[in-house]
Amino acid sequence: MSVHPPELRARIDDAPMTRLQWSAIAVCVLLNVLDGFDVLVMSFTSAAVSAEWSLSGSQLGLLLSAGLVGMALGSLFLAPLADRIGRRALILACLVIASAGMLLSAAAQDAVQLGLLRVLTGVGIGGILASSNVLAAEYANARWRGLAVSLNSTGYAVGATVGGIVAVALQSSSGWRSVFAFGGVATALLIGAVLWRLPESLDFLLTQRSPRALDRLNTVLGAMRLPALDTLPKPEPAARKPKPRLAQILSPAQRRNTLLIWAGFFAVMFAFYFVTSWTPKLLVEAGMSAGQGITGGVLLNLGGIFGTTLLGLLAARFPLQRVLLGYTLATALLLACFVSLTSQFALVLALGALIGLFVNGCVAGLYALTPSLYPVEVRATGVGWGIGVGRVGAIVSPLVAGRLLDAGWTPDRLFLLVAAVLVAGGLAVHAFRLTTPEHA
């Protein structure tokens, strides 16, 4: 039978979830666990690396930001390839890049080598994330899509907490290089998981029409207990050569949403990486002990595990756009109150967990909402550029915070600044137009 893409999407939306769909989402979660581990691996090993090579603070800062620079490059320039070669194919290629970067980092001989390898690893991770989040959304039905994508993003918080514990244990017994070796081996093992349980994007198979596309599509549909197709849908007649994908997401039909998505990702990533990078130090600056500051930072990541799950449950009942707006405003309010309560340790810890809950949910919500704002032929490009602009916010955030601290800003003023940035991000989310034309 001939079925058009909207009809197939409707069937998936209405059908119950199958084992294949849940296992595909589980693989996407593992890919995000890798992201959480990779982002913080340099933070957990920074003291040992700095001691071995006698690095200055600025040199260490460059190493800490190198992975984020690579992720931005991967999101901007590798992720769009998924719209040409396939989501799964790009994920596999990027896992090879990331695992090579991590394994070679374990053998780095100086800070320059390690910095370049951190960029290489980040490129691989950045290329993975846009596709994994698109696939998680695509393989979920309508009822569970918000939960599936938020569970996907929960992987980051899991990787940040569990990965941190693993890193500390390995470092104490085998040195900092073993932490990178562990990450490289774990990344390589994910190649097998993707080959085994992550199918190619249905939307990609429908639109790219490669010679074996129908057979591959029907194999996946069979595993999802959906009827097979006799033929692929006929392609839409094209009067002229399509514009480049970046030009399409900036075309008049898409430009407003694209710029708002960029503003939202920049603001949310700016806040997220400020909170995760600077909270322990700023709590100490505000009068807490070093141990109390670290405890506050750990609770942020623990809160994140629950925040993304809660967002998914709320999104199953309420419009995701409204839930995400509420998350951004709640995070801004909590940040405004945070540092002023440092004299009450228990209250600060509770607020830290709540901030982690909401700020992680902000990231998860953007990942969940963004794919629905673009037509399928430019979806990976749109998501990739959104994440890439967000990574710019992530890179800028620690630098701005450090510069303002040197200029005499107090911790409470810094948290208020970040709260204001988040409010601006929430306003951008509120302005999204959820009805997007199928063609730009």
Side-chain angles (χ1 to χ4, degrees):
M1 68 190 74
S2 180
V3 175
H4 294 287
E7 296 169 7
L8 182 59
R9 180 73 262 168
R11 288 186 183 184
I12 295 170
D13 282 346
D14 294 338
M17 292 285 287
T18 62
R19 183 181 299 176
L20 173 76
Q21 288 164 279
W22 282 120
S23 62
I25 291 165
V27 172
C28 291
V29 171
L30 289 175
L31 292 169
N32 277 267
V33 170
L34 171 69
D35 178 33
F37 180 86
D38 181 78
V39 168
L40 289 185
V41 66
M42 195 64 239
S43 299
F44 286 119
T45 59
S46 59
V49 171
S50 182
E52 179 170 328
W53 292 330
S54 301
L55 301 180
S56 68
S58 60
Q59 289 172 319
L60 187 57
L62 288 171
L63 279 181
L64 287 167
S65 66
L68 292 173
V69 171
M71 288 180 196
L73 294 173
S75 294
L76 293 173
F77 299 110
L78 275 190
L81 289 177
D83 291 320
R84 295 186 179 184
I85 68 172
R87 321 275 191 252
R88 182 175 183 262
L90 182 72
I91 287 172
L92 288 168
C94 287
L95 282 171
V96 172
I97 293 171
S99 60
M102 291 288 277
L103 289 170
L104 290 170
S105 293
Q109 297 301 303
D110 56 42
V112 173
Q113 284 184 17
L114 183 57
L116 292 173
L117 290 167
R118 291 295 295 152
V119 172
L120 177 67
T121 305
V123 166
I125 299 295
I128 288 167
L129 289 181
S131 289
S132 68
N133 284 289
V134 168
L135 282 170
E138 187 178 323
Y139 273 99
N141 63 15
R143 180 182 178 188
W144 295 110
R145 186 164 300 122
L147 177 61
V149 178
S150 62
L151 282 175
N152 189 32
S153 298
T154 302
Y156 177 91
V158 172
T161 42
V162 177
I165 295 168
V166 170
V168 171
L170 284 174
Q171 208 171 176
S172 61
S173 61
S174 307
W176 66 265
R177 295 177 186 277
S178 65
V179 183
F180 287 94
F182 172 86
V185 171
T187 305
L189 290 175
L190 277 178
I191 296 172
V194 169
L195 288 170
W196 179 45
R197 295 305 293 177
L198 188 65
E200 182 54 272
S201 159
L202 293 173
D203 286 338
F204 176 79
L205 294 174
L206 283 166
T207 56
Q208 294 301 304
R209 308 179 63 80
S210 61
R212 292 185 58 244
L214 182 61
D215 290 340
R216 294 173 68 191
L217 186 62
N218 283 332
T219 299
V220 177
L221 291 177
M224 294 168 65
R225 304 192 192 112
L226 293 172
L229 305 184
D230 295 330
T231 60
L232 287 172
K234 291 182 180 179
E236 296 290 333
R240 57 188 177 187
K241 186 178 179 180
K243 293 183 290 185
R245 288 180 173 86
L246 178 58
Q248 289 184 54
I249 67 171
L250 289 172
S251 68
Q254 303 290 340
R255 185 185 303 130
R256 183 177 188 274
N257 268 350
T258 293
L259 295 178
L260 288 169
I261 287 165
W262 290 0
F265 265 107
F266 184 93
V268 167
M269 293 287 203
F270 183 98
F272 180 83
Y273 284 96
F274 169 84
V275 166
T276 54
S277 300
W278 280 98
T279 293
K281 178 172 176 55
L282 291 178
L283 288 177
V284 173
E285 291 271 337
M288 287 190 167
S289 69
Q292 289 173 328
I294 292 170
T295 302
V298 169
L299 280 171
L300 286 168
N301 288 318
L302 288 174
I305 294 173
F306 299 102
T308 50
T309 305
L310 175 62
L311 178 122
L313 294 171
L314 290 172
R317 290 179 168 268
F318 306 102
L320 180 56
Q321 186 179 20
R322 292 184 187 175
V323 175
L324 180 53
L325 174 62
Y327 260 63
T328 57
L329 298 180
T331 310
L333 179 62
L334 290 167
L335 287 172
C337 301
F338 191 47
V339 173
S340 61
L341 298 171
T342 48
S343 59
Q344 303 175 54
F345 181 51
L347 186 55
V348 164
L349 292 184
L351 281 178
L354 281 173
I355 289 171
L357 186 152
F358 283 107
V359 79
N360 277 273
C362 290
V363 177
L366 272 179
Y367 279 144
L369 191 59
T370 301
S372 66
L373 300 176
Y374 287 109
V376 60
E377 61 268 19
V378 294
R379 190 165 292 156
T381 302
V383 174
W385 271 85
I387 295 172
V389 172
R391 294 290 182 191
V392 174
I395 295 163
V396 168
S397 175
L399 300 176
V400 169
R403 183 66 61 89
L404 292 176
L405 268 180
D406 290 342
W409 277 49
T410 57
D412 55 338
R413 285 182 70 191
L414 279 175
F415 275 92
L416 281 173
L417 171 67
V418 177
V421 171
L422 260 182
V423 169
L427 294 175
V429 168
H430 179 66
F432 287 170
R433 285 179 181 159
L434 294 181
T435 53
T436 306
E438 274 301 303
H439 298 279

